[in-house]
């Protein structure tokens, strides 16, 4: 068949099962846009800013496990995507990005809106392409999806000159993938798996440290069965949250910089760490030389370059978490460690990181806890970056996989609104709450207009402390409370802003208004913004300062005997 | 072995535009330091072979190999063993030469089995092939006469026994 480049792209996307694309047009990508009416099955969501398109594609991918797609025009359109691409890259999110480029003849001439986007995105994509012939498009798009979604997933960018979209060419019925240099290891090495089983047999104080990889490979059942069979308590990394139900008796929460004290202590005291699909990030290990020095370590990880990068391990197993856990499950002994499990229960009591201090003030922790109860731990929570993100990770009790969605590695403020938009598009029947910082919200709030236009009913809870809160906390802890450039003394009136966007706006200033506002938001058919005006100088505890260990942990000073709220 | 030493790494890569950029970009981003680099066509169509000499301990070299291998356009990587390999580099050296020194320089070239490949009234061009040590000692000996220009191709290696 003869097809234009634009038609080839649309048909290739449909062949990949793509149902929605987030984007914004411009000259270089216009020929692609003008073919869209021929493909009504391909839903296009017109964003307000290309960063929103990239974050939305990323949110869609995280919520569904299917690749997200965003596109933009050349030059500034493409560069506006960069934060979103970097965010996806740091967290290994499968997205495919298409950018328009100036015409082939103009490349290299500093033409209007020419930017070397493949050069710019080289270090923040898993791979990228500049396609100089329409005939290459079917294979390139197929390869892009293959690379994005297999092995350790990640973003792939395809840059297409304007005249390549217009070029007509003969195309074959099925594309071919020819990637001789790319063969991710899936199945784990049998001998290493046997060694891992032996270590589990010998361990007295074992811990499973589960990361994002468990979610990518959807190894939830294998993880849970293994944990129960061997009675190994499960700790999840920030991005691992929701891979293991947090109401399970073996769930010990999140460790690290703002993790629960008992989780960090349990790692420190363990004699075996079974790390699955995680990369020993500095927010977890603090000081690589002093992290979990008493334990043997098994590391299950699909990316060989993550093994031995930050922490040296005893038993490395390269491959897919689901395959390896299933194989390990067969060899692992049925065991109990009553003393160890009881010890962790005692740690939870002596270090009650999740107790909220009694006060009349409106605390962010209280709001998250109420939200968790009101949604029965079954909403999908999307966050920005900062204090509210950490409180969401700590105080919401996640029950279902893929229900905690956050920018971990990049820490991109502004993820909360467009990220949640993509999540809701991917999961139209689920309740999606965006827990936003007043700072991050204002970075990308323009996408609320996109939500209204496209009937995307995200509920947004702004944890409004009139500060860039997390930075203010660092200034309090490490710079003698010198609050330089962290106060927002003139935030907009978020309720009026909601009205301006045509969505429901609510303001909450007292504890007793929290529940009813959440209820009202959930009953409302459409996007909602709740402005939770919270205690401004509240801190996230515990905190292990950067580069330190659990021994340097700062826990919340508690005057009174703490009591959990009900 | 934790000491830093020169290690030679070879990679079979796609012969496409931008591949060298992907590789050097990764080296730069991860802070690996390349002391020499040679690129050329391999025995396989559309594939090039690159040879890098890098400084680092075992852990660094292992990370480098894994990160190279991770690049989609890299087909195969290996670290050359320190023994049992033929290691060669080619250098062109322009050294200043007067009627008094010309003869001595030719003698030095002979010792190193190097060739004089260019002559002008006040200089000579010497072509020398060998391993990195030989290059360095030859350069040291010629320094006294006045080194005007040195061009080195970067090291390439081949295992004596088997193909890589
Ligand atoms: C795009 C971006 N810029 C700057 C930062 C640095 N930073 C980390 S947390 C934070 C404060 C976030 O403030 P806000 O969104 O109001 O959330 P809060 O911490 O108050 O909950 C800042 C500025 C960042 N992570 N991302």
């Amino acid at each position: 068949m003869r097809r234009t480049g634009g038609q080839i792209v649309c048909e290739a996307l449909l062949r990949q099962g793509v149902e929605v694309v987030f984007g914004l047009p411009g000259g270089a990508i216009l020929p692609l846009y003008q073919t869209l009416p021929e493909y009504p099955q391909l839903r296009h969501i017109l964003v307000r800013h290309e960063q929103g398109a990239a974050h939305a594609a990323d949110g869609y991918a995280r919520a569904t496990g299917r690749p997200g797609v965003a596109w933009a025009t050349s030059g500034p359109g493409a560069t506006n995507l960069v934060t979103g691409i970097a965010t996806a890259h740091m967290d290994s999110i499968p997205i495919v990005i298409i950018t328009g480029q100036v015409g082939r003849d103009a490349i290299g001439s500093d033409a209007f809106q020419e930017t070397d986007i493949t050069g710019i995105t080289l270090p923040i994509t898993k791979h990228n392409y500049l396609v100089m012939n329409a005939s290459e498009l079917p294979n390139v798009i197929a390869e892009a999806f293959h690379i994005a979604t297999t092995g350790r997933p990640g973003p792939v960018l395809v840059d297409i000159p304007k005249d390549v979209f217009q070029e007509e060419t003969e195309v074959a019925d099925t594309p071919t993938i020819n990637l001789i240099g790319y063969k991710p290891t899936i199945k784990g090495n049998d001998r290493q798996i046997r060694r891992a089983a032996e270590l589990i047999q010998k361990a007295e104080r074992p811990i499973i440290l589960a990361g994002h990889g468990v979610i990518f490979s959807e190894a939830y059942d294998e993880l849970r069965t293994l944990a129960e069979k061997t009675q190994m308590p499960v700790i999840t990394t920030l991005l691992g949250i929701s891979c293991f139900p947090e109401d399970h008796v073996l769930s010990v929460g999140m460790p690290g910089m703002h993790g629960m004290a008992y989780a960090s202590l349990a790692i420190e005291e363990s004699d075996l760490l079974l790390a699955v699909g995680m990369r020993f990030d500095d927010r977890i290990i603090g000081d690589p030389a002093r992290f979990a020095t008493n334990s043997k370590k098994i590391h299950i990880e699909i990316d060989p370059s993550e093994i031995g990068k930050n922490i040296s391990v005893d038993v490395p197993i390269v491959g897919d978490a689901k395959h390896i856990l299933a194989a390990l499950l067969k060899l692992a002994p049925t065991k109990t460690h009553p003393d160890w499990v009881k010890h962790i229960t005692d740690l939870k009591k002596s270090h009650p990181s999740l107790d909220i201090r009694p006060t009349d003030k409106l605390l962010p922790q209280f709001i998250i806890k109420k939200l968790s109860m009101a949604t029965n731990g079954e909403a999908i929570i999307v966050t920005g970056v900062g204090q509210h993100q950490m409180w969401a990770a700590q105080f919401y009790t996640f029950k279902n996989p893929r229900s905690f969605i956050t920018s971990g590695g990049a820490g991109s403020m502004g993820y909360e609104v467009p990220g949640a938009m993509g999540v809701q598009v991917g999961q139209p029947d689920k309740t999606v709450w965006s827990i936003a910082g007043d700072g991050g919200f204002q970075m990308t709030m323009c996408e609320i207009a996109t939500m209204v236009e496209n009937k995307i009913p995200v509920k947004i809870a702004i944890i409004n402390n009139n500060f860039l809160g997390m930075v203010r906390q660092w200034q309090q802890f490490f710079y003698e409370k010198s609050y330089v450039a962290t106060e927002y003394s003139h935030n907009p009136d978020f309720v009026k802003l909601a009205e301006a966007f045509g969505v429901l706006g609510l303001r909450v200033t007292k504890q007793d208004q929290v529940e009813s506002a959440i209820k009202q938001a959930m009953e409302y058919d459409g996007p909602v913004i709740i402005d939770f005006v919270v205690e401004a100088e509240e801190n996230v505890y515990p905190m292990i300062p950067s580069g330190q260990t659990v021994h340097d942990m700062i826990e919340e000073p508690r005057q009174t005997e703490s009591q959990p709220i009900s | 072995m934790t000491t830093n030493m020169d290690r030679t790494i070879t990679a079979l890569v796609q012969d496409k535009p931008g591949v060298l950029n992907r590789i050097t970009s990764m080296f730069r981003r991860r802070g690996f330091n390349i002391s020499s680099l040679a690129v050329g066509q391999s025995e396989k169509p559309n594939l090039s072979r690159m040879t890098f000499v890098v400084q680092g301990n075992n852990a660094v070299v292992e990370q480098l190999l894994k990160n190279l291998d991770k690049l989609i356009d890299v087909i195969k990587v290996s670290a050359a063993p320190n023994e049992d390999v033929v290691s060669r580099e080619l250098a062109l050296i322009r050294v200043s030469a007067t009627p008094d020194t010309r003869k001595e320089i030719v003698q030095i070239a002979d010792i190193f089995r190097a060739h004089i490949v260019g002559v002008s009234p006040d200089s000579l061009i010497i072509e020398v092939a060998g391993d990195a040590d030989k290059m360095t000692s030859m350069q040291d000996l010629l320094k006294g006469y006045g080194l005007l220009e040195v061009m080195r191709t970067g090291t390439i290696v081949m295992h004596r026994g088997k193909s890589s």
Side-chain angles (χ1 to χ4, degrees):
Chain A
M1 320 162 271
R2 284 193 82 71
R3 287 281 183 274
T4 65
Q7 290 172 320
I8 295 172
V9 170
C10 292
E11 289 170 23
L13 294 182
L14 287 171
R15 184 181 293 115
Q16 295 295 332
V18 174
E19 50 177 19
V20 59
V21 178
F22 301 90
L24 196 149
I29 200 172
L30 207 50
L32 175 61
Y33 267 90
Q34 300 313 115
T35 58
L36 270 184
E38 298 170 39
Y39 303 95
Q41 323 89 293
L42 201 54
R43 180 178 175 200
H44 177 264
I45 293 180
L46 172 61
V47 295
R48 272 358 191 230
H49 185 296
E50 291 87 349
Q51 181 184 351
H55 283 329
D58 165 308
Y60 176 93
R62 294 187 202 229
T64 62
R66 299 192 298 271
V69 181
W71 65 37
T73 195
S74 67
T79 55
N80 272 352
L81 293 166
V82 166
T83 301
I85 299 172
T87 304
H89 187 248
M90 287 297 278
D91 290 349
S92 315
I93 305 303
I95 58 173
V96 172
I97 302 282
I98 294 171
T99 46
Q101 182 55 277
V102 299
R104 279 171 285 192
D105 285 352
I107 289 179
S109 72
D110 304 318
F112 177 65
Q113 293 194 331
E114 178 184 3
T115 300
D116 173 16
I117 196 64
T118 45
I120 289 173
T121 58
L122 206 62
I124 55 165
T125 49
K126 185 168 171 187
H127 196 54
N128 63 24
Y129 293 88
L130 168 61
V131 185
M132 293 297 271
N133 290 297
S135 60
E136 292 167 26
L137 277 170
N139 294 356
V140 166
I141 303 274
E143 286 180 9
F145 277 86
H146 179 69
I147 292 169
T149 55
T150 53
R152 178 178 180 174
V156 178
L157 180 139
V158 183
D159 195 25
I160 306 174
K162 181 174 185 173
D163 56 333
V164 173
F165 286 124
Q166 290 160 328
E167 189 190 353
E168 253 194 45
T169 182
E170 198 64 33
V171 285
D173 287 342
T174 45
T176 50
I177 292 178
N178 181 21
L179 295 166
I180 48 172
Y182 178 69
K183 284 178 223 76
T185 306
I186 301 299
K187 207 178 146 294
N189 178 292
D190 289 336
R191 202 176 74 96
Q192 298 294 75
I193 296 173
R194 267 201 307 281
R195 285 180 61 205
E198 281 159 21
L199 285 183
I200 293 172
Q201 171 68 50
K202 283 192 210 126
E204 288 169 7
R205 298 184 308 281
I207 286 282
I208 296 177
L209 189 45
H212 212 179
V214 175
I215 295 177
F216 293 133
S217 73
E218 312 212 307
Y220 321 120
D221 292 346
E222 291 78 2
L223 174 70
R224 185 177 173 155
T225 320
L226 180 70
E228 288 170 353
K229 182 177 181 191
T230 57
Q231 284 295 298
M232 287 201 269
V234 178
I235 291 176
T236 50
T237 67
L238 180 73
L239 294 180
I241 286 179
S242 85
C243 79
F244 188 78
E246 293 191 332
D247 53 354
H248 194 287
V249 283
L250 289 169
S251 170
V252 194
M254 170 178 88
M257 181 176 278
H258 290 299
M260 292 71 163
Y262 45 83
S264 299
L265 288 163
I267 288 179
E268 177 67 12
E269 293 179 24
S270 66
D271 66 353
L272 176 68
L273 264 189
L274 172 61
V276 191
M278 54 83 68
R279 59 184 175 90
F280 291 106
D281 173 75
D282 56 85
R283 259 35 186 175
I284 287 180
I285 63 173
D287 178 357
R290 292 185 292 156
F291 172 75
T293 45
N294 305 313
S295 66
K296 291 248 188 258
K297 294 173 191 76
I298 304 165
H299 193 185
I300 299 173
E301 168 58 47
I302 200 157
D303 178 355
S305 73
E306 288 298 348
I307 289 178
K309 184 181 81 175
N310 294 341
I311 294 284
S312 60
V313 295
D314 302 277
V315 180
I317 315 177
V318 175
D320 179 82
K322 194 177 179 83
H323 278 77
I324 295 169
L325 288 178
L328 187 54
L329 191 54
K330 290 200 192 111
L331 301 180
T334 302
K335 281 190 81 180
T336 57
H337 316 276
D339 292 349
W340 174 232
V341 173
K342 169 153 189 321
H343 178 66
I344 291 177
T345 312
D346 291 344
L347 283 178
K348 287 183 180 175
K349 288 195 191 117
S350 52
H351 298 270
S353 303
L354 295 190
D355 284 5
I356 299 171
R357 70 170 189 282
T359 172
D360 295 336
K361 294 173 176 156
L362 183 56
L363 298 187
Q365 303 91 310
F366 175 87
I367 296 165
I368 312 273
K369 186 111 200 175
K370 285 289 177 198
L371 184 63
S372 183
M373 293 191 294
T375 54
N376 193 27
E378 288 172 347
I380 305 182
I381 301 297
V382 186
T383 77
V385 170
Q387 293 184 307
H388 66 283
Q389 175 190 33
M390 293 299 121
W391 284 315
Q394 293 175 335
F395 287 91
Y396 196 94
T397 307
F398 295 92
K399 296 194 185 150
N400 302 320
R402 299 189 185 277
S403 63
F404 181 59
I405 292 182
T406 198
S407 164
S412 304
M413 284 171 73
Y415 183 82
E416 51 263 71
V417 172
M421 176 167 82
V423 168
Q424 183 79 79
V425 169
Q427 297 286 5
D429 301 328
K430 298 249 171 85
T431 303
V432 178
W433 277 89
S434 164
I435 297 180
D438 52 304
F441 174 82
Q442 290 179 81
M443 286 189 173
T444 49
M445 62 184 181
C446 51
E447 301 310 336
I448 292 166
T450 313
M451 291 186 194
V452 175
E453 257 165 17
N454 294 279
K455 303 203 168 26
I456 302 168
V458 173
K459 317 296 174 194
I460 302 170
I462 304 177
I463 304 300
N464 181 4
N465 50 18
N466 290 289
F467 271 109
L468 295 167
M470 185 58 92
V471 182
R472 184 208 55 75
Q473 176 171 344
W474 283 53
Q475 290 171 333
Q476 179 181 341
F477 283 22
F478 311 118
Y479 296 92
E480 288 96 33
K481 258 195 171 193
S482 170
Y483 293 164
V484 182
T486 41
E487 187 178 2
Y488 278 145
S489 57
H490 281 85
N491 267 335
D493 180 330
F494 292 119
V495 174
K496 282 197 184 140
L497 194 68
E499 284 163 18
F501 277 115
V503 305
L504 177 65
L506 303 169
R507 177 165 296 115
V508 171
T509 56
K510 297 195 185 69
Q511 286 181 13
D512 60 10
Q513 302 165 334
V514 173
E515 264 183 75
S516 60
I518 292 173
K519 193 159 169 279
Q520 203 185 335
M522 301 233 278
E523 281 163 4
Y524 183 77
D525 182 18
V528 179
I529 298 172
I530 310 181
D531 180 18
F532 287 104
V533 183
V534 297
E535 177 65 1
E537 296 187 38
E538 188 63 16
N539 292 319
V540 180
Y541 291 105
M543 177 165 196
I544 300 175
S546 197
Q548 312 264 33
T549 71
V550 67
H551 305 294
D552 312 295
M553 180 161 56
I554 308 165
E555 291 189 73
E556 179 166 10
R558 289 172 197 276
Q559 288 91 353
T560 52
E561 190 62 21
S562 52
Q563 40 188 259
I565 63 159
S566 51
Chain B
M1 185 173 28
T2 53
T3 48
N4 275 7
M5 54 182 297
D6 274 348
R7 298 294 297 270
T8 309
I9 288 166
T10 58
L12 194 63
V13 308
Q14 299 275 12
D15 183 7
K16 284 197 227 170
V19 173
L20 182 60
N21 187 13
R22 287 179 200 279
I23 291 170
T24 52
S25 164
M26 185 277 290
F27 276 42
R28 177 190 54 77
R29 186 168 91 77
R30 302 259 177 206
F32 300 124
N33 206 350
I34 313 177
S35 51
S36 112
L37 167 64
V39 190
Q41 283 176 359
S42 74
E43 72 285 1
K44 302 189 173 79
N46 305 321
L47 298 183
S48 305
R49 185 164 275 112
M50 295 191 181
T51 311
F52 314 90
V53 179
V54 296
Q55 276 258 312
N57 60 31
N58 277 356
V60 168
V61 171
E62 194 179 319
Q63 268 302 307
L64 196 152
L65 290 173
K66 287 171 168 178
N67 278 290
L68 262 179
D69 207 21
K70 201 165 146 175
L71 297 172
I72 309 284
D73 289 330
V74 174
I75 317 295
K76 193 176 166 196
V77 294
S78 49
N82 292 323
E83 280 151 26
D84 228 19
V85 289
V86 184
S87 164
R88 286 291 180 273
E89 189 175 358
L90 179 76
L92 294 175
I93 301 171
R94 190 198 305 278
V95 60
S96 73
T98 61
D100 291 348
T101 59
R102 199 172 295 266
K103 209 164 171 197
E104 287 173 37
I105 294 171
V106 173
Q107 274 168 5
I108 292 173
D110 277 349
I111 296 168
F112 283 94
R113 285 195 274 158
H115 307 286
I116 309 297
V117 291
V119 184
S120 74
D122 49 8
S123 72
L124 292 172
I125 299 176
I126 303 171
E127 174 204 286
V128 58
D131 61 16
D133 286 349
K134 179 172 168 185
M135 300 286 131
T136 314
S137 20
M138 169 132 195
Q139 238 167 278
D140 283 348
L141 275 177
L142 292 174
K143 235 180 233 157
Y145 301 96
L147 284 180
L148 301 175
E149 206 176 356
V150 178
M151 300 257 184
R152 291 172 65 165
T153 57
T155 304
I156 53 173
V157 295
M158 191 170 277
H159 201 269
R160 283 186 197 279
K162 57 178 189 354
S163 54
S164 67

